[in-house]
Amino acid sequence: MVNISAFFPRLIPNVLGCPEPLAQQALVDAAITFCDQSLAVTIDLDPVTVPVGSTAVELETPDQTTVAQVLYVWYDKKVLNSVPYGQFTDIYRPNATPTDYTVEYLDEVANLRVYPAPSTAVDNGLVVRVALRPTRAATQLHDILFQRYVDGIVAGAQSILCAIPDQPFTDTARSIAMGQRARAAANQARADMMFGRSQSSMSVQLRAF
């Protein structure tokens, strides 16, 4: 994790007169937006044993982070199907091997529900891969946001700050331009996450008909 103050040398000179606490909050807000758009910070959470007959699991994320999106869920090494929480109605199936999952947020805590409830407990059988975002009160950000995506985060923070009216650093045109730069960086980061950063072969193998 990297202290948010590490971003200041790249941000403060472009928003002269901005108090550091305001700059820090803008960086956090920009990082949250960047993570939501890019899904750049992903981890597999610690495996969980789901008790027989239970469906709900609270997703515990590293300190100063929360879940931006659940990406994949495995139960007993099999991928479960995602069902939107608002559309899920089949919750009373007899206990069996879970095949589906849904996610609900209670007091900003992500709760995963698997269906049907397991009929047998599989030791550490539930594995969840998530994309993370910082909490609003974060004082540190994930290393990758600084090492690889610092320009996108700083551009997003500039966009936020320059849009504040009646400040020495108010600049509507710059806010728009930096917002566009931040979105472009998030789009590139999402492509990195989805397709990796490796070079794939462009050759095509011919197949006989």
Side-chain angles (χ1 to χ4, degrees), residues 144 148-149 188-189 191-200:
I144 194 174
R148 184 170 293 176
Y149 302 121
Q188 181 59 58
D192 290 346
M193 188 279 295
M194 293 177 64
F195 303 112
R197 300 178 65 86
S198 59
Q199 180 72 33
S200 61

Side-chain angles (χ1 to χ4, degrees), residues 10 14 28 30-31 42 47 64 75 77-80 107 125 161 191-192 198:
R10 292 172 170 81
N14 296 301
V28 172
T42 63
Q64 302 193 49
Y75 188 83
K77 301 181 181 180
K78 296 180 176 63
V79 177
L80 303 191
D107 297 327
L161 294 171
D192 290 346
S198 59

Side-chain angles (χ1 to χ4, degrees), residues 113-154:
R113 290 186 176 275
V114 296
Y115 298 100
S119 56
T120 58
V122 177
D123 189 38
N124 291 330
L126 183 73
V127 178
V128 183
R129 180 172 298 167
V130 299
L132 299 176
R133 68 200 300 244
T135 62
R136 293 289 175 188
T139 58
Q140 296 180 318
L141 300 178
H142 196 282
D143 288 359
I144 194 174
L145 297 179
F146 183 75
Q147 298 297 340
R148 184 170 293 176
Y149 302 121
V150 62
D151 290 340
I153 303 296
V154 170

Side-chain angles (χ1 to χ4, degrees), residues 14-18 158-175:
N14 296 301
V15 285
L16 294 177
C18 178
Q158 285 188 60
S159 178
I160 293 169
L161 294 171
C162 291
I164 300 175
D166 303 323
Q167 299 295 322
F169 44 85
T170 301
D171 188 332
T172 301
R174 185 170 184 82
S175 174

